[in-house]
Amino acid sequence: MGTRNLSTETSVQRIFRTRIFGSVTGIFVSKLDARTSTRQIQSHLQRETGIRLKPEQLKSKYNTYASFYIPCGQDVRRRLLDRDLWPKGSLVKPFYN
């Protein structure tokens, strides 16, 4: 699924996406340095956005990178999906439950 502007999504598209993928509950960030900690992510986000969030480290398929789930509301999610907030080469996507 490519990048999508959620603000231009129609209600039918939103219902279809929700039924197929589940609801969006936060963001998924991956391909970060394997030594990245939840505390580092939390500090970075608070410094850059002024918002205190509680990232959860996920088990990665390989030990060469780190992955995180960051629970957040829709208003914060749009800010967190900004690629300029994350290191070059990282993967940032909506997280569906």
Side-chain angles (χ1 to χ4, degrees):
M1 188 164 125
T3 59
R4 158 192 346 248
N5 183 349
L6 295 177
S7 63
T8 61
E9 188 175 50
T10 67
S11 59
V12 172
Q13 289 170 322
R14 193 173 302 114
I15 290 168
F16 175 76
R17 179 181 45 77
T18 301
R19 287 192 179 159
I20 297 299
F21 298 108
S23 60
V24 178
T25 60
I27 67 162
F28 171 75
V29 183
S30 188
K31 306 298 182 186
L32 298 172
D33 186 281
R35 298 168 293 188
T36 305
S37 69
T38 55
R39 181 170 283 190
Q40 288 172 315
I41 296 291
Q42 188 175 36
S43 296
H44 171 72
L45 293 174
Q46 188 165 6
R47 185 176 50 254
E48 296 295 323
T49 67
I51 301 168
R52 186 172 175 90
L53 298 164
K54 294 185 178 184
E56 300 173 23
Q57 188 158 10
L58 302 173
K59 184 174 172 119
S60 299
K61 188 172 184 178
Y62 302 103
N63 63 359
T64 56
Y65 62 89
S67 300
F68 296 87
Y69 162 63
I70 304 171
C72 60
Q74 183 176 356
D75 55 331
V76 174
R77 186 171 48 251
R78 287 187 179 149
R79 292 172 66 185
L80 297 183
L81 288 172
D82 181 357
R83 294 190 189 279
D84 292 334
L85 184 64
W86 303 100
K88 187 175 181 177
S90 58
L91 172 68
V92 182
K93 300 186 335 179
F95 187 94
Y96 297 92
N97 67 353

